Amino acid sequence: MSINLDYGFQEGLQTLGPGANAFGSVGSFGNLLTSELYGEFGELTRRGLVFTATVAAAAAVPVNTTLTNAPCLWNPASSGKICIPLRVSLSLGAIGTPILNGFTISYLTNTGDNIGTGAPVVTFTAIAPVCTLLGKGITPKTKFAGAVVTYTTQPAKLLDLGFGHHLEGSAASGQLYSQFHHDFKGSVIMPPGTLIAFGSTIATSTTYWTTFTFAEIPAPGVL
């Protein structure tokens, strides 16, 4: 049976310039080609829309029932951007008191732009995120703080991340430890004037290196 490819499809891969019109690509048997050429976030990265932000030093993760949740991603109200968290990852810094804990994401809305007493965000020690299209010097509107974030209103819990640490003994004991990450897979979108913060279910003195990876795209008039 022959297949008519005159209805918006072209056999084989295509090379396109910016803004070019294109057909869908199909194989020689009429099968739709859906290759991830650069990997999952490659196209966003190629366009300079992906950023990574990591803490300046390994630190304990505050318990999520306080006014000091951090690390934090904040999309200010006047950013004109949509922030899309892609991944949060942790590596162990130093083992503190052995404890069984879990990790969460909390959120706050109507955050405005300003920092100070009476504002939704009272203190915020910013660390500049880095564009993963390296060398281009692209600066996002989304802000990141690795620690020292306080709020007028406690952020509400949004997600249990489904992992935590059960630490026993010391770093010299030869025990294995886990490196953790959570892929958001589009499950959280941050319009202007919102923030998310990382937290622990139980206070712990164990320290972690924590990194957020996120994308930032222009905000449409209506989500």
Side-chain angles (χ1 to χ4, degrees):
M1 181 180 71
S2 62
I3 299 176
N4 189 333
L5 301 179
D6 294 332
Y7 294 94
F9 294 95
Q10 175 178 304
E11 194 278 332
L13 298 177
Q14 304 171 63
T15 302
L16 305 170
N21 295 321
F23 296 100
S25 291
V26 296
S28 58
F29 293 99
N31 54 299
L32 186 64
L33 300 181
T34 56
S35 172
E36 285 190 358
L37 182 60
Y38 310 106
E40 186 175 2
F41 305 123
E43 186 63 22
L44 289 171
T45 300
R46 188 180 71 84
R47 295 176 183 271
L49 301 176
V50 176
F51 303 86
T52 185
T54 192
V55 297
V61 178
V63 67
N64 62 9
T65 55
T66 70
L67 294 173
T68 57
N69 300 118
C72 172
L73 277 182
W74 178 21
N75 187 5
S78 64
S79 70
K81 302 288 186 177
I82 298 293
C83 176
I84 305 172
L86 301 176
R87 169 179 282 200
V88 60
S89 58
L90 296 89
S91 296
L92 187 64
I95 296 176
T97 303
I99 198 168
L100 177 64
N101 75 327
F103 295 110
T104 64
I105 295 291
S106 298
Y107 75 99
L108 196 63
T109 60
N110 301 314
T111 59
D113 291 295
N114 300 318
I115 301 168
T117 302
V121 180
V122 179
T123 63
F124 192 93
T125 303
I127 299 173
V130 176
C131 179
T132 58
L133 182 60
L134 301 178
K136 294 299 183 181
I138 301 170
T139 301
K141 297 292 186 180
T142 299
K143 298 180 179 181
F144 172 79
V148 196
V149 181
T150 55
Y151 314 95
T152 297
T153 301
Q154 178 186 317
K157 192 168 76 170
L158 178 66
L159 295 173
D160 288 301
L161 297 184
F163 61 79
H165 252 160
H166 182 198
L167 298 173
E168 299 176 357
S170 67
S173 68
Q175 287 181 259
L176 296 176
Y177 73 92
S178 299
Q179 293 177 300
F180 299 117
H181 70 268
H182 175 77
D183 293 312
F184 289 91
K185 296 185 179 295
S187 63
V188 177
I189 293 178
M190 298 169 57
T194 62
L195 64 78
I196 60 172
F198 195 70
S200 176
T201 56
I202 299 174
T204 173
S205 57
T206 296
T207 63
Y208 302 90
W209 293 93
T210 307
T211 298
F212 271 104
T213 303
F214 64 95
E216 193 178 77
I217 62 175
V222 178
L223 281 178

